[in-house]
């Protein structure tokens, strides 16, 4: 046959179709891609499971997982079945013949196109909506667990007289069910209507009836279900009024019924419920009547009623009944809000005492002697001296201290003293060379605690360390010093294997160790290694020779992160703090149970009410809020995290809290009883800062208990701005050992001040007992100053300090050169009817990278002192010599002398002394610079001595001759 093609003979290759080899390759790549995605999902699940097992909280993982799976399948299946059933039913009820019209002829093409795939299409649609519904329901695991495990509060709301647990645990779940019901009804209605339209049950342009009787009955039942659900919504809305948020100028974020709610909205919801029930019955009646007339009229009446009864009528009541006499109308409901809010935030037992604001003792010596008995004034500010700890106690560059240190109590000679404490944590930024082995195998932990007296400084203004050096030694005794878990430990480490870890270095050599704790996940088996290689996106984990028998991977290493993971139902305080307990370093973490369903209690936003000048500059101090808007909060759990093993313990603290009891039912065995708290640990627990900040914010308005006063707004206070900086953020609360006027002895306390709204003078002082070892723990005391007396507030006191010429001149001298003055915490102490303020002043001098205490500011009733030590300042303020022993001078300021040569020589001596101290304070002391500084110091002192001798001789020669009389 003639050749027609002009090409090679043989098997033909169809154009555009890949070869068999290419198809096999593509299929292989597709299978590998699917396997890769499956293993990636498996790796995430597997590593989470292994981590929870490693911390012995696997029940939290399994309970949460099975709850999510159960909700996913139950609600996903319900949605899929409902939608699928209605599509099937609409198809089943299709008319046998379609009308002859252009509309139906156009739809015929679609009907014929999907005919072969009807079953698959039905399954696909049902599966898709089921997946979406299931995923949404899985996110409600907290709501489900609280509903099924809820315990009563044994407190009833004042309107419906239902237990608070109904609003906190039941109502949220009912609302979810209602929302799910609405979504199901709407999707079923849409799916059924589209199916009926596609198969001719509904017609838009075809002649004849617009809907078949079957379609009418089917859709009317679905509409009846929707309206019935609306009736249920109206009924639940009645109870929802008790926890409804609304803006009310007197209370802010008001929760609960007001006059218009009780007298307009509540009856309106009841009437609308009845109308909706009747309307739903009319829709169901179309199964027999086969007409839309009555249900459509009923639905229209329901919508009109919702506008008139549910919207217009309450607006009329508000406008013409409430506004003309708002205080009288709202007072009974405000009284309920006052009571509920104070109970919900734990401020109902606040003890408010009138405080004179002026001293009642005229004898200044007596007042001076009272200071030491009233308070142990802390001059070491934990939020300022961290760089000083860093410079003097870092020892090695790969160690570091947190930006903000902590205040705790430790016994010394049988007496507790306020102590500033920080841990020498790992700082990867300071290791000699960054690589994967160094970052994750060799440098794995910090070493030792460093502590200093809170009420003292040495002669150079440095902290008086009670625990120091490397290894740490001092008053804390012996304890496990390695710190594998800490606030700065944010990366993973692989420990315990063939690769040795850097423990610490001394003057002789670098010492190594190998982790022997049981923390972390074992990497012995290849499945774990592969899973972590994928989860951490680090292939070297899979094949590195540095990993071998005994290797364990440590991660999730910050204390707050670990507590949040093992108790995802808790809100975590922003400040975890370390303590040496039973010869181990333990991180102590305060945790809260919250709800936003406490009837009548006003809501607050945790992120806003806990913000202050510290959280503004250090985001790690912010509260870890699971539920940011709350109207009930309790410090129900005290948690500890072992700095070596990472072991997490949760202890029940508030034994009466029903929210905690609910979660303990949901997660049995995760929270230990309060009796298990050891005596050693109890000594270091304290009242948490974030709870205190929430309570003080509420007390700016809710310190009054009378509705009329509350509504007038005349007693509104505010938390003052931090006077030590210009940030405009709220002053943080301060821990201080002191005693309030009604106390017989000092107690570790958390304190704050209040000012009137829009003014800077002091309106109140607040303190709460923070020592669990005392019977008054958690007792809030409020000293309220009379409105007729003007007592300076923190901002005014700071302005007074800065405006006095002598102080301003000294500050200017301290700031000369490249020095920088930093103000510490401005502490307020109630003293004999008046208020004593004390503030340490630090200087970062020249090339020094850390602040030293140079002066102390003290003021009392208009008298101000700015001296080298606290005792000197107190002596000057009270004009007497105190009975307490004055410690060595803070700073090394030269004595005042009128001889300019002597003054110049002493200035040179001061500079030489500081240069010597700077040389010693370097990570590696500069001995040559220190020797030169000592020589300069000796020369300057010699010059001063010679100049003073010449001056004395000259003064002696100028004396008038004696007349010989005695």
């Amino acid at each position: 046959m003639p050749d027609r093609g002009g090409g090679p003979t043989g098997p033909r290759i169809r154009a555009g179709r890949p070869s068999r080899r290419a198809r096999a390759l593509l299929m292989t790549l597709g299978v590998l891609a699917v396997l890769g995605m499956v293993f990636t999902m498996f790796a995430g699940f597997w590593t989470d499971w292994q981590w929870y097992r490693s911390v012995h909280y696997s029940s939290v993982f399994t309970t949460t997982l099975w709850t999510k799976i159960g909700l996913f399948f139950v609600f996903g299946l319900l949605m899929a079945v409902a939608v699928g059933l209605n599509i099937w039913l609409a198809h089943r009820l299709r008319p046998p013949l379609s009308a002859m019209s252009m509309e139906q002829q156009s739809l015929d093409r679609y009907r014929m196109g999907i005919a072969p795939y009807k079953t698959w299409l039905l399954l696909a649609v049902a599966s898709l909506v089921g997946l979406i519904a299931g995923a949404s329901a899985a996110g409600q695991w907290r709501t489900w667990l609280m509903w099924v495990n809820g315990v009563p509060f044994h407190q009833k709301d004042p309107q419906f007289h239902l237990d608070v647990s109904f609003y906190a645990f039941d109502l949220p779940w009912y609302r979810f069910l209602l929302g799910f019901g609405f979504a199901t009804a709407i999707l079923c209605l849409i799916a059924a209507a589209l199916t009926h339209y596609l198969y001719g049950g509904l017609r838009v342009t075809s002649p004849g009836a617009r809907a078949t009787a079957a379609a009418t009955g089917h859709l009317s039942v679905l509409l009846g279900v929707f309206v019935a659900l609306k009736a249920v919504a109206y009924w639940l809305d009645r109870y929802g009024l008790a926890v409804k948020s609304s803006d009310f100028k007197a209370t802010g974020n008001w929760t609960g019924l007001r006059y218009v709610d009780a007298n307009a909205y509540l009856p309106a919801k009841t009437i609308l419920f009845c109308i909706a029930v009747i309307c739903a019955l009319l829709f169901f009646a179309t199964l027999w009547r086969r007409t839309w007339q009555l249900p459509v009229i009923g639905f229209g009446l329901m919508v009109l009623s919702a506008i008139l009864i549910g919207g217009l009528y309450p607006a009329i009541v508000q406008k013409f009944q409430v506004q003309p006499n708002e205080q009288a109308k709202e007072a009974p409901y405000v009284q309920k809000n006052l009571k509920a809010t104070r109970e919900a935030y734990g401020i109902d037992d606040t003890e408010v005492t009138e405080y004179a604001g002026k001293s009642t003792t005229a004898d200044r010596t007596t007042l001076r002697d009272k200071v030491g008995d009233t308070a142990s004034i802390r001059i070491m500010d934990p939020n300022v001296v961290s760089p000083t700890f860093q410079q003097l106690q870092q020892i090695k560059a790969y160690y570091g201290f947190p930006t903000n240190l902590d205040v705790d109590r430790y016994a010394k000679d049988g007496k507790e003293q306020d102590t500033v404490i920080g841990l020498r944590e790992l700082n990867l930024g300071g290791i000699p060379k960054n690589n994967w082995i160094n970052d994750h195998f060799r440098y794995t932990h910090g070493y030792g605690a460093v502590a200093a007296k809170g009420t003292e400084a040495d002669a150079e203004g440095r902290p008086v360390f009670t625990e120091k050096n490397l290894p740490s030694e001092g008053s804390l005794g012996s304890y496990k010093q390695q710190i594998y878990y800490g606030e700065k430990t944010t990366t993973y480490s692989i420990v315990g294997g063939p690769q040795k870890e850097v423990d610490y270095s001394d003057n002789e050599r670098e010492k190594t160790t190998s982790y022997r704790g049981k923390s972390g996940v074992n990497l012995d088996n290849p499945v774990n290694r592969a899973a972590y290689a994928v989860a951490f996106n680090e292939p070297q984990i899979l094949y590195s020779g540095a990993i071998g028998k005994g290797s364990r991977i440590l991660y999730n290493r910050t204390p707050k992160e670990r507590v949040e993971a093992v108790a995802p139902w808790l809100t975590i305080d922003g400040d975890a703090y370390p303590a040496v307990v039973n010869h181990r370093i333990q991180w102590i973490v305060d945790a809260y149970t919250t709800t936003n369903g406490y009837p009548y209690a006003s809501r607050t936003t945790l992120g806003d009410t806990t913000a202050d000048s510290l959280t503004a500059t250090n985001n790690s101090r912010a509260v870890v809020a699971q539920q940011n808007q709350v109207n009930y909060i309790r410090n129900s759990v005290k948690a500890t995290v072992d700095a070596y093993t990472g072991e997490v313990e949760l202890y029940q603290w508030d034994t009466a809290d029903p929210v905690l009891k609910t979660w303990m039912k949901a997660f049995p065995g995760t929270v230990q009883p309060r009796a298990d708290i050891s005596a050693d640990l109890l000594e270091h627990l304290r009242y948490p800062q974030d709870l205190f900040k929430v309570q003080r914010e509420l007390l700016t308005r809710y310190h009054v208990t009378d509705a009329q006063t509350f509504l007038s707004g005349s007693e509104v206070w505010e938390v003052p701005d931090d006077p030590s900086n210009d940030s405009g953020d709220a002053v943080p609360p301060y821990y201080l050992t002191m005693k309030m006027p009604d106390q017989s002895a000092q107690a570790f306390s958390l304190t704050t001040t209040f000012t009137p709204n829009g003014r800077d003078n002091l309106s109140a002082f607040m303190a709460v007992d923070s020592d669990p070892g005392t019977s008054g723990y958690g007792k809030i005391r409020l000293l309220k100053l009379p409105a007729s007396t003007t007592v300076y507030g923190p901002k005014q006191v700071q302005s007074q300090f800065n405006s006095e010429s002598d102080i301003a001149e000294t500050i200017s001298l301290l700031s000369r050169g490249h020095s920088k003055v930093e103000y510490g915490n401005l502490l307020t102490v109630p003293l004999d009817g008046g208020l004593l303020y004390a503030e340490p002043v630090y200087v970062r001098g020249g090339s020094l990278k850390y602040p030293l205490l140079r002066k102390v500011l003290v003021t009392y009733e208009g008298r101000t002192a700015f001296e080298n030590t606290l005792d000197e300042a107190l002596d000057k303020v009270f004009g007497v010599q105190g009975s307490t022993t004055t410690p060595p001078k803070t700073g090394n300021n030269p004595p005042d002398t009128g001889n300019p040569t002597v003054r110049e020589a002493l200035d040179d001596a001061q500079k030489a002394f500081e240069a010597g101290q700077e040389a010693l304070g370097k990570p590696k002391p500069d001995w040559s610079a220190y020797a030169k500084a000592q020589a300069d110091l000796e020369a300057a002192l010699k010059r001063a001595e010679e100049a003073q001798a010449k001056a004395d001789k000259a003064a002696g020669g100028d004396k008038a001759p004696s007349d010989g009389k005695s």
Side-chain angles (χ1 to χ4, degrees):
M1 294 181 67
D3 184 3
R4 297 182 182 181
T9 61
R12 292 189 177 184
I13 300 175
R14 190 174 297 174
R17 183 176 179 180
S19 67
R20 182 177 299 174
R21 181 177 298 176
R23 292 199 304 273
L25 179 61
L26 290 173
M27 186 175 294
T28 303
L29 291 176
V31 170
L32 289 175
V34 171
L35 289 175
M37 288 188 291
V38 170
F39 188 78
T40 300
M41 290 187 290
F42 167 78
F45 164 80
W46 185 252
T47 53
D48 285 348
W49 165 242
Q50 292 296 319
W51 186 85
Y52 275 96
R53 287 186 62 195
S54 73
V55 292
H56 309 296
Y57 282 88
S58 55
S59 63
V60 174
F61 180 82
T62 54
T63 299
T64 304
L65 178 64
W66 286 116
T67 302
K68 290 179 179 178
I69 291 174
L71 291 172
F72 176 85
F73 278 105
V74 168
F75 286 93
L77 190 62
L78 284 174
M79 179 67 79
V81 169
V83 173
L85 181 62
N86 278 277
I87 293 174
W88 174 83
L89 186 60
H91 179 266
R92 181 74 178 267
L93 297 174
R94 70 190 183 279
L97 296 173
S98 60
M100 297 302 294
S101 66
M102 293 297 296
E103 178 186 28
Q104 293 303 311
Q105 290 177 17
S106 177
L107 290 173
D108 276 340
R109 294 199 303 269
Y110 295 104
R111 288 194 283 263
M112 293 173 63
I114 66 174
Y117 312 106
K118 284 192 294 186
T119 302
W120 292 107
L121 186 61
L122 173 63
L123 291 174
V125 171
S127 298
L128 178 62
V129 296
L131 286 172
I132 295 172
S136 175
Q140 297 294 322
W141 65 272
R142 288 186 179 87
T143 309
W144 160 260
L145 287 175
M146 292 184 79
W147 177 69
V148 78
N149 295 287
V151 300
F153 277 68
H154 300 296
Q155 290 177 284
K156 297 182 182 295
D157 78 283
Q159 181 67 41
F160 302 103
H161 308 292
L162 296 174
D163 192 270
V164 172
S165 61
F166 171 80
Y167 301 95
F169 307 141
D170 299 343
L171 191 58
W173 179 247
Y174 298 153
R175 287 194 179 279
F176 164 71
L177 292 179
L178 186 63
F180 179 82
F182 274 124
T184 305
I186 291 171
L187 287 175
C188 289
L189 186 62
I190 293 171
L194 288 175
T195 306
H196 280 298
Y197 176 70
L198 180 64
Y199 286 96
L202 290 178
R203 307 182 186 97
V204 177
T205 61
S206 301
R210 298 300 184 194
T212 63
T216 299
H218 184 192
L219 296 179
S220 63
V221 169
L222 291 176
L223 286 169
V225 170
F226 178 85
V227 176
L229 289 172
K230 188 62 181 174
V232 176
Y234 282 134
W235 189 257
L236 287 182
D237 284 347
R238 298 169 68 256
Y239 302 111
L241 292 172
V243 289
K244 175 180 69 74
S245 287
S246 60
D247 261 341
F248 189 38
K249 62 183 179 181
T251 63
N253 196 346
W254 166 285
T255 304
L257 285 83
R258 294 161 56 185
Y259 180 88
V260 70
D261 297 314
N263 295 278
Y265 280 112
L266 187 56
K269 297 292 183 183
T270 305
I271 295 171
L272 288 171
F273 164 75
C274 297
I275 293 173
V277 169
I278 296 171
C279 187
L281 293 175
L282 291 175
F283 273 108
F284 293 140
T286 57
L287 284 172
W288 297 275
R289 293 180 56 85
R290 303 296 184 178
T291 176
W292 292 89
Q293 186 176 6
L294 283 178
V296 168
I297 292 173
F299 187 78
L301 288 174
M302 187 181 76
V303 173
L304 183 62
S305 300
I307 295 171
L308 296 178
I309 302 175
L312 185 60
Y313 174 61
I316 292 172
V317 171
Q318 178 68 24
K319 179 70 175 178
F320 295 102
Q321 291 189 35
V322 177
Q323 287 186 5
N325 193 14
E326 186 172 33
Q327 288 204 10
K329 295 290 187 183
E330 299 289 12
Y333 303 95
V334 169
Q335 198 67 50
K336 296 175 185 178
N337 176 265
L338 282 168
K339 182 177 183 296
T341 302
R342 289 168 61 86
E343 289 173 351
Y345 290 95
I347 57 176
D348 50 324
D349 290 330
T350 300
E351 186 179 277
V352 181
T353 306
E354 297 294 332
Y355 194 68
K358 291 185 178 180
S359 174
T360 58
T361 301
D363 185 2
R364 311 299 286 184
T365 303
T366 303
L367 277 175
R368 173 63 181 90
D369 291 340
K370 279 186 177 182
V371 175
D373 184 54
T374 301
S376 300
I377 299 175
R378 180 171 41 76
I379 56 175
M380 283 289 112
D381 187 346
N383 305 309
V384 174
V385 299
S386 178
T388 308
F389 273 54
Q390 184 86 356
Q391 184 69 24
L392 302 180
Q393 286 296 315
Q394 179 189 22
I395 311 297
K396 294 294 181 181
Y398 48 80
Y399 295 131
F401 291 91
T403 304
N404 304 102
L405 304 178
D406 290 289
V407 177
D408 201 350
R409 302 90 69 209
Y410 285 90
K412 180 70 173 178
D413 299 327
K415 182 181 179 183
E416 280 194 348
Q417 62 181 14
D418 288 0
T419 302
V420 177
I421 186 170
L423 300 188
R424 195 183 286 111
E425 295 188 46
L426 178 67
N427 172 30
L428 286 177
I431 66 176
K433 184 179 180 181
N434 287 102
N435 55 53
W436 191 62
I437 294 296
N438 277 349
D439 291 353
H440 299 289
F441 290 82
R442 282 182 51 75
Y443 295 92
T444 59
H445 59 278
Y447 206 93
V450 176
K453 294 181 179 180
T455 55
E456 292 183 28
D458 68 9
E460 300 308 314
R462 297 172 300 191
V464 177
F465 291 108
T466 57
E467 184 79 10
K468 59 183 179 179
N469 299 335
L470 186 69
S472 293
E473 57 186 5
S475 61
L476 301 184
S478 62
Y479 58 94
K480 193 73 172 176
Q481 299 205 13
Q482 288 94 340
I483 302 162
Y484 282 87
Y485 295 87
E487 291 181 303
K488 297 171 70 70
T489 316
T490 55
T491 188
Y492 71 90
S493 290
I494 299 176
V495 299
Q499 177 66 58
K500 291 293 185 181
E501 309 161 42
V502 175
D503 204 20
Y504 67 92
S505 302
D506 57 17
N507 293 330
E508 298 176 1
R509 60 186 175 86
E510 185 178 82
K511 299 184 182 296
T512 60
T513 188
S514 187
Y515 185 69
R516 291 292 175 261
K518 298 300 182 183
S519 182
V521 178
N522 199 314
L523 294 179
D524 277 354
N525 68 75
V527 174
N528 283 1
R529 291 179 69 168
Y532 279 100
V534 171
F536 286 12
N537 195 26
E538 185 52 73
Q540 294 184 79
I541 294 177
L542 188 60
Y543 55 79
S544 174
I547 301 175
K549 185 174 178 58
S551 291
R552 310 180 74 85
I553 185 167
L554 313 181
Y555 61 105
N556 287 354
R557 298 168 71 185
T558 65
K560 291 191 293 184
E561 187 178 29
R562 293 179 77 78
V563 175
E564 183 188 10
V566 303
W569 34 273
L570 290 174
T571 295
I572 311 302
D573 189 272
D575 183 25
Y577 61 98
V580 176
V581 178
N582 297 322
H583 307 290
R584 303 189 74 87
I585 297 175
Q586 298 280 354
W587 289 97
I588 300 175
V589 183
D590 285 286
Y592 310 109
T593 48
T594 62
T595 180
N596 66 354
Y598 197 99
Y600 273 98
S602 290
R603 288 189 173 93
T604 188
T605 303
L606 290 182
D608 295 337
T609 54
T610 59
D612 57 26
S613 61
L614 295 184
T615 61
T617 57
N618 185 1
N619 200 34
S620 65
R621 294 291 291 266
V623 64
V624 184
Q626 292 294 334
Q627 193 174 21
N628 207 27
Q629 265 226 338
V630 305
N631 67 353
Y632 171 94
I633 185 170
R634 290 291 185 271
N635 176 212
S636 296
V637 172
K638 300 285 189 181
T640 62
V641 178
D642 192 290
Y644 183 76
T645 66
E647 181 182 6
V648 182
E649 293 288 353
L650 306 176
Y651 296 101
Q652 183 182 16
W653 185 246
D654 188 333
T655 56
D657 176 33
V659 181
L660 178 61
K661 290 178 181 178
T662 296
W663 287 119
M664 289 174 69
K665 278 183 65 179
F667 296 96
T670 56
V671 181
Q672 307 306 313
R674 179 167 176 160
D676 286 0
I677 299 176
S678 68
D680 200 4
L681 174 59
L682 190 67
E683 290 178 358
H684 296 282
L685 300 181
R686 67 189 192 187
Y687 201 81
Q689 293 188 60
D690 283 334
L691 175 61
F692 184 80
K693 287 188 280 188
V694 170
Q695 290 174 325
R696 74 172 180 178
E697 181 64 31
L698 268 295
L699 281 169
T700 59
R701 290 171 286 128
Y702 286 92
H703 61 277
V704 301
T705 56
D706 174 64
Q708 295 294 340
T709 306
F710 187 84
L711 283 166
S712 71
S714 60
E715 291 289 328
V716 175
W717 300 337
E718 62 184 14
V719 178
D721 295 341
D722 191 342
S724 64
N725 57 62
D726 299 324
S727 65
D729 298 301
V731 62
Y734 295 124
Y735 288 106
L736 184 66
T737 297
M738 54 161 288
K739 70 175 182 179
M740 293 288 274
D742 65 328
Q743 291 179 292
S744 58
Q746 293 183 20
F748 190 63
S749 305
L750 190 53
T751 66
T752 193
T753 53
F754 296 103
T755 57
N757 191 24
R759 297 168 59 195
D760 293 326
N761 57 289
L762 199 68
S763 58
F765 175 83
M766 173 182 170
V768 61
D769 285 2
S770 299
D771 189 348
T774 63
S775 58
Y777 173 82
K779 178 71 175 178
I780 300 175
R781 293 178 172 87
L782 205 57
L783 301 182
K784 183 181 177 184
L785 280 73
S788 58
T789 302
T790 301
V791 177
Y792 275 7
K795 190 173 181 180
Q796 292 172 317
V797 169
Q798 190 70 51
S799 298
Q800 180 186 11
F801 284 156
N802 297 337
S803 63
E804 293 201 12
S805 57
D806 292 345
I807 295 176
E809 183 178 351
T810 306
I811 294 291
S812 178
L813 289 173
L814 292 173
S815 304
R816 62 186 175 184
H818 297 287
S819 297
K820 179 184 177 183
V821 172
E822 295 182 27
Y823 293 99
N825 39 221
L826 180 58
L827 300 176
T828 308
V829 177
L831 177 65
D832 195 60
L835 278 303
L836 176 74
Y837 288 94
E839 182 179 47
V841 178
Y842 303 84
V843 177
R844 292 183 191 241
S847 59
L848 288 177
K849 298 291 193 297
Y850 57 95
L852 296 175
L853 182 68
R854 288 305 186 200
K855 293 285 184 179
V856 179
L857 285 160
V858 173
T859 185
Y860 185 75
E861 296 192 340
R863 295 171 177 262
T864 303
F866 187 50
E867 301 298 321
N868 297 328
T869 69
L870 174 63
D871 277 347
E872 289 177 3
L874 290 171
D875 290 346
K876 184 174 181 180
V877 161
F878 293 104
V880 295
Q881 180 65 41
S883 60
T884 55
T885 303
T886 302
K889 289 183 66 175
T890 300
N892 213 17
N893 300 321
D896 190 16
T897 173
N899 190 315
T901 306
V902 174
R903 189 185 303 114
E904 181 181 359
L906 290 176
D907 283 341
D908 291 340
Q910 172 72 10
K911 292 176 183 177
F913 180 84
E914 290 179 354
Q917 294 302 308
E918 181 180 353
L920 284 177
K922 293 180 178 179
K924 185 176 181 181
D926 188 343
W927 296 110
S928 60
Y930 179 77
K932 180 179 181 304
Q934 291 297 100
D936 292 342
L937 174 63
E938 185 177 355
L941 291 174
K942 187 175 181 180
R943 281 192 288 115
E945 184 179 0
E946 291 172 352
Q948 187 63 46
K950 290 180 180 179
D952 291 342
K953 184 177 180 180
D958 291 339
K959 287 182 181 179
S962 173
D963 60 2
K965 295 180 181 179
S966 57

